[in-house]
Amino acid sequence: MVRITSAQAASASSSEVSQPATKLPPIDELLLFLMHLSVGLPLRDLAERFGIHRTTASRIISTWTHFLYILLGSQRLWIPPEVVRAHLPPEFSAFPDTQVVLDCTEIFCQTPSSLLLQSEVFSAYKSHSTFKALIGMAPHGAITFVSGLYAGSMSDREIFKLSGIINLLTPDMAIMVDKGFLVDNLAPCKVYRPAFLSRNTQMSREDVRQTQSIARLRVHVERCIRRVKENKLFDKAIPLSVCGSIEELFNVACFLVNYQNGPLVKAWAT
């Protein structure tokens, strides 16, 4: 028989209480993942809040990132042209064949120590190391295309070429892009883009009106991207240690925008 003193029993019970949990219910794991994505809480904070080890929190985030990437990514994002036109807002009546409004966005990442990698991920536009992605929005506000993440030094044209969206476009469609998207000879369809002002000529009245109309409509894809980047995780530079999963995590953030309550524009609620 082994005799246990009261001091030893108290010590054993206190160690059991302080020992972090090794498993959480699935609903708590999902909450932990969403807090990491939406609020940007670090692993140490999440581990303290949920009473688990830091490595367990990291494993939960990786697992749910991959699970939601597979689950939500299995749902078709790209919408057939007839469905897009059936839900075309009145604001797009001057551009009725618009299939998707495209724009690139960047998220900051940690600067690598390698000079070669620094030159690849450095964005002259942001003056920082970044990852860059192409996002497409249907005229009625749903995200219908998300590319992978590319190095911040790549141009919009190069990302457009590599993203795979060209294979989805047909001659009866049209895309709406920013002035810097010089993809006319790459896209197999019509391209709506603000007109360029040549050096010695003035814009015609028709070009001015079309440029203003496109600018008013293109702002909606920027608002859509803002919804993605409202996730506080993207407010700070992404560590290089999570580069293996950041593409899936960014895609999940884009997928979840389509499930948010409320339309992008109040007038489109009907």
Side-chain angles (χ1 to χ4, degrees):
M1 180 179 295
V2 179
R3 179 178 297 177
I4 301 179
T5 64
S6 58
Q8 290 174 330
S11 176
S13 61
S14 63
S15 63
E16 290 177 359
V17 172
S18 62
Q19 185 177 4
T22 58
K23 189 174 182 180
L24 292 175
I27 188 65
D28 288 344
E29 290 188 354
L30 177 59
L31 176 61
L32 184 149
F33 168 80
L34 293 176
M35 289 175 67
H36 177 66
L37 175 63
S38 301
V39 190
L41 296 181
L43 292 178
R44 181 176 298 177
D45 191 333
L46 292 170
E48 288 287 340
R49 289 173 185 267
F50 286 86
I52 57 177
H53 197 273
R54 184 175 175 179
T55 55
T56 304
S58 176
R59 176 184 54 79
I60 290 173
I61 291 171
S62 299
T63 301
W64 276 92
T65 297
H66 186 67
F67 172 72
L68 291 175
Y69 176 76
I70 298 298
L71 178 66
L72 301 178
S74 64
Q75 306 300 313
R76 185 176 64 179
L77 283 182
W78 190 255
I79 303 176
E82 58 273 12
V83 178
V84 172
R85 291 166 190 169
H87 295 84
L88 194 73
E91 290 81 0
F92 279 83
S93 58
F95 310 96
D97 52 354
T98 302
Q99 173 70 19
V100 64
V101 186
L102 296 171
D103 199 8
C104 280
T105 187
E106 299 180 68
I107 57 175
F108 289 167
C109 69
Q110 185 181 0
T111 303
S113 57
S114 168
L115 295 179
L116 177 60
L117 292 179
Q118 285 183 28
S119 64
E120 289 182 355
V121 299
F122 183 80
S123 169
Y125 179 68
K126 295 290 187 179
S127 298
H128 198 281
S129 299
T130 65
F131 295 129
K132 196 172 183 179
L134 177 67
I135 293 181
M137 182 200 77
H140 63 277
I143 291 181
T144 58
F145 182 82
V146 184
S147 75
L149 290 177
Y150 297 91
S153 62
M154 294 184 65
S155 65
D156 296 344
R157 174 185 171 88
E158 191 67 20
I159 292 177
F160 179 85
K161 184 192 302 184
L162 298 176
S163 64
I165 194 172
I166 296 177
N167 299 328
L168 300 174
L169 301 173
T170 56
D172 61 331
M173 299 177 181
I175 60 174
M176 187 173 289
V177 296
D178 196 11
K179 187 179 294 185
F181 263 79
L182 305 178
V183 296
D184 300 69
N185 60 338
L186 295 177
C189 61
K190 188 185 298 183
V191 178
Y192 293 125
R193 187 183 59 243
F196 281 96
L197 179 63
S198 57
R199 183 171 299 177
N200 299 320
T201 61
Q202 187 175 3
M203 276 190 185
S204 65
R205 181 177 300 178
E206 182 180 352
D207 286 342
V208 171
R209 289 177 178 174
Q210 186 180 42
T211 297
Q212 291 175 343
S213 298
I214 293 174
R216 282 195 299 267
L217 296 175
R218 273 204 69 263
V219 73
H220 296 310
V221 73
E222 296 175 2
R223 296 175 64 189
C224 191
I225 291 174
R226 186 181 65 188
R227 283 190 171 186
V228 176
K229 301 181 80 171
E230 281 176 351
N231 292 291
K232 301 301 182 183
L233 179 65
F234 304 128
D235 285 352
K236 51 192 175 183
I238 302 299
L240 296 179
S241 58
V242 298
C243 284
S245 60
I246 188 58
E247 181 172 312
E248 290 187 356
L249 191 55
F250 180 79
N251 274 259
V252 168
C254 294
F255 297 156
L256 290 175
V257 168
N258 287 342
Y259 297 89
Q260 288 185 4
N261 293 328
L264 193 64
V265 180
K266 290 183 179 179
W268 300 352
T270 56

